[in-house]
Amino acid sequence: MSTSTQKKKKSKKSFFKRAAAWLHLWLGLGSGIIVVIVSLTGCMYVFEHEIKDFMEDWRFVTPQDKAYLLPSQLISIADKEMKGKKATSVTFGDKDEAAIVGYFIPKKENKEDNKDKEEEAKKEKKQANSSNLASNDKPKEKEPKRKKRRSGTTFNVYMNPYTGQVLNVKAISREDPDFFRFMLNGHRALWLPYDIGRPIIGVAILIFVVILITGMVLWWPTKWIKSIRDKSFKIKWSASFKRVNYDMHNVLGFYSMIFLLIISLTGLVWSFGWFSKSLYWVTSGGKPLVENRESPKSDTTNIKAFNVSTVDKVMLKLAKESPQAAGILISIPEKPSDPIGAFVYKKSHTFYNMDRYSFDQQSLKDITIKTPFSGKYEEASVPDKIRRMNYDIHVGAVLGITGKILAFFASLISASLPITGFLIWWGKQKFSKKGATKPKVATKAVNAPKIVEEEMSY
């Protein structure tokens, strides 16, 4: 009985290992190229802010012992530089940082397409209403569709906040990206249209999570003796190329697994709605994620022409409430129903601990909507705080420069794993082919002549 049960346990264990090995191999071969691209572009993007701060000196100014110019003053100067285009935002940073006046210029093609779509939608509404009224039925309300990102170009006018001097004008768009935007497009969508590329990335990263788990199963030592421990935790640099390559895949994969798992899971939040909701459900103890896709609205019952000096009042109010803020961004409303949006950043190059506000553009009353990203960070619930931290965890910024270094090396190792794994598999294929073509040698020689022995050993 004891021997049969032991055999059963061994067979079960071997089958589990074989299944994990099969999944690890074929899922890795299938998704390897995508994982390499996503990992390398992620490496490049991690230190975006630090590299830009080092290379782009026009982002900084000499601190002065006087107050900043008001937003309306900076906007007035920037509007002239942009030849009358309307500003969409204004950002103030630290005392040695340039202020930024932002402009978003949508594509003309999109405007024309939108007009056509609006006219078609109006016609459809009229036809539906007339048919519904004829049948004495109430018109059915359609569920709100997810808003698509507007296509166009963002212009950032960098200015001296003390003097209003224009330091530089930088244009950014998906269609004509700079280096870091190009890396981000590859990281998010493989340089394909986002509707196509993002699901491909999502599936590949979901597969990568399975690969990490099966890799851990294969790595786990059968016995914790010294020789096996050394093989599992150390790279034998003095060995052959095949051994070093195997150790790099095995050992580096183990050391980076936790970091790669965290990076992958935080990335899946943007890829799949079901995963985002499930993660929130787990972290909140069973509460559903409230995704209010409607933007807050200003009161339109008493419409007046928007005065840009209203932005000055918002700026002064927020600066007084948060004197230690690392930056304040204020969005300028385009339509009468748009609110004045405001973001107060508590720390440079991090986004999770910011406070987010919406103000009525006429009365400056707070407009609150229930989403994880609205309101003050300190007042947010634990699951909402975790959701706000998702991006900063993903890039390592939540731990400052140390976290970014860890994210960089973890991503670099991630890019190497499909390559070292492929070389291991390719080496085994070549070895098996050589073994298959090699003729069998007789186990017993019965006084064979010398010529026959030479032919058999050839």
Side-chain angles (χ1 to χ4, degrees):
M1 286 291 288
S2 61
T3 55
S4 63
T5 53
Q6 282 178 0
K7 283 181 181 179
K8 283 182 181 178
K9 284 182 179 178
K10 283 183 180 179
S11 64
K12 281 183 181 179
K13 188 176 181 180
S14 61
F15 173 78
F16 182 66
K17 284 265 188 181
R18 277 187 279 118
W22 186 88
L23 285 171
H24 192 79
L25 171 63
W26 294 109
L27 291 179
L29 290 174
S31 64
I33 294 173
I34 299 174
V35 171
V36 171
I37 293 171
V38 173
S39 301
L40 287 178
T41 52
C43 279
M44 301 292 185
Y45 195 74
V46 164
F47 294 106
E48 178 203 11
H49 296 296
E50 287 76 12
I51 293 170
K52 283 184 175 179
D53 288 350
F54 178 74
M55 296 183 67
E56 300 173 348
D57 56 355
W58 35 264
R59 288 174 170 268
F60 297 92
V61 297
T62 303
Q64 297 184 25
D65 191 19
K66 64 177 183 179
Y68 294 151
L69 294 178
L70 293 171
S72 60
Q73 293 173 308
L74 293 177
I75 291 167
S76 177
I77 298 167
D79 282 350
K80 290 175 184 176
E81 181 72 22
M82 295 299 295
K83 297 179 181 178
K85 292 182 174 68
K86 290 185 177 179
T88 52
S89 67
V90 59
T91 306
F92 289 88
D94 212 342
K95 291 180 178 181
D96 64 341
E97 292 181 337
I100 306 169
V101 179
Y103 294 80
F104 180 76
I105 313 300
K107 264 190 170 183
K108 289 181 181 179
E109 301 162 357
N110 289 350
K111 280 186 173 181
E112 290 170 6
D113 292 342
N114 288 337
K115 283 180 182 178
D116 293 338
K117 286 178 184 178
E118 283 176 7
E119 286 176 5
E120 286 177 12
K122 283 178 183 178
K123 286 179 183 178
E124 287 177 5
K125 260 190 177 181
K126 282 181 182 178
Q127 289 174 359
N129 288 339
S130 59
S131 60
N132 287 331
L133 290 170
S135 59
N136 293 323
D137 289 332
K138 291 183 179 178
K140 293 180 181 178
E141 292 182 0
K142 292 182 180 180
E143 291 182 4
K145 291 182 180 179
R146 188 170 187 172
K147 290 181 180 179
K148 290 185 178 180
R149 289 173 181 262
R150 291 191 299 170
S151 235
T153 305
T154 299
F155 291 89
N156 288 328
V157 181
Y158 290 83
M159 308 175 69
N160 188 316
Y162 303 101
T163 64
Q165 179 191 359
V166 175
L167 305 173
N168 193 36
V169 179
K170 187 171 183 180
I172 305 169
S173 70
R174 285 188 187 176
E175 294 75 17
D176 185 23
D178 62 2
F179 174 78
F180 288 104
R181 184 72 213 190
F182 180 76
M183 289 294 108
L184 186 62
N185 288 344
H187 188 74
R188 286 183 173 176
L190 299 174
W191 300 288
L192 297 169
Y194 269 49
D195 292 342
I196 299 170
R198 287 187 78 170
I200 295 173
I201 292 286
V203 171
I205 299 307
L206 195 59
I207 290 171
F208 186 61
V209 171
V210 178
I211 293 170
L212 288 172
I213 295 167
T214 53
M216 189 64 185
V217 171
L218 296 173
W219 172 89
W220 196 264
T222 51
K223 293 180 181 178
W224 290 91
I225 58 176
K226 187 179 184 303
S227 59
I228 297 177
R229 286 202 314 269
D230 288 346
K231 191 178 177 181
S232 300
F233 292 101
K234 296 177 183 178
I235 298 173
K236 192 176 181 181
W237 296 106
S238 60
S240 65
F241 172 78
K242 284 186 178 180
R243 173 63 190 273
V244 172
N245 182 72
Y246 176 81
D247 284 353
M248 286 180 69
H249 187 82
N250 196 41
V251 177
L252 294 181
F254 164 73
Y255 284 124
S256 63
M257 184 206 167
I258 296 297
F259 301 105
L260 292 179
L261 202 57
I262 292 169
I263 291 170
S264 300
L265 293 176
T266 51
L268 286 173
V269 168
W270 298 302
S271 297
F272 300 111
W274 61 265
F275 184 85
S276 175
K277 291 175 183 177
S278 301
L279 185 63
Y280 189 88
W281 186 85
V282 170
T283 56
S284 65
K287 293 179 182 178
L289 173 64
V290 178
E291 286 187 306
N292 191 346
R293 299 199 182 279
E294 290 185 6
S295 301
K297 303 291 182 185
S298 288
D299 186 7
T300 55
T301 55
N302 186 20
I303 300 173
K304 296 177 184 176
F306 178 73
N307 192 335
V308 74
S309 62
T310 311
V311 178
D312 298 342
K313 297 176 183 177
V314 173
M315 175 64 193
L316 293 171
K317 177 184 176 183
L318 295 176
K320 187 178 179 180
E321 290 177 359
S322 306
Q324 302 301 321
I328 298 174
L329 183 151
I330 302 172
S331 67
I332 301 163
E334 297 178 24
K335 298 177 291 187
S337 60
D338 290 343
I340 299 172
F343 302 85
V344 178
Y345 302 99
K346 300 299 178 69
K347 192 178 178 183
S348 294
H349 306 329
T350 57
F351 302 96
Y352 73 93
N353 55 353
M354 69 177 180
D355 298 334
R356 183 175 180 176
Y357 303 91
S358 294
F359 301 101
D360 184 283
Q361 63 172 272
Q362 301 295 337
S363 64
L364 293 184
K365 287 182 180 178
D366 285 335
I367 307 170
T368 56
I369 55 171
K370 195 175 181 183
T371 68
F373 298 95
S374 299
K376 294 183 178 181
Y377 173 77
E378 292 178 357
E379 296 174 359
S381 62
V382 172
D384 286 353
K385 284 180 179 177
I386 294 171
R387 178 49 51 91
R388 289 190 184 201
M389 295 171 75
N390 192 76
Y391 173 79
D392 291 299
I393 292 172
H394 187 70
V395 299
V398 72
L399 295 177
I401 194 67
T402 304
K404 288 191 173 188
I405 292 170
L406 289 172
F408 174 82
F409 282 108
S411 298
L412 200 60
I413 292 169
S414 175
S416 74
L417 293 177
I419 298 169
T420 53
F422 175 80
L423 291 174
I424 293 168
W425 172 77
W426 186 254
K428 287 180 179 179
Q429 296 298 110
K430 287 178 74 177
F431 180 78
S432 62
K433 284 179 183 177
K434 284 181 181 178
T437 56
K438 191 176 180 180
K440 292 182 180 179
V441 181
T443 54
K444 291 183 180 179
V446 189
N447 297 323
K450 189 176 180 182
I451 298 172
V452 176
E453 287 179 355
E454 286 176 357
E455 286 178 355
M456 288 175 68
S457 61
Y458 176 69

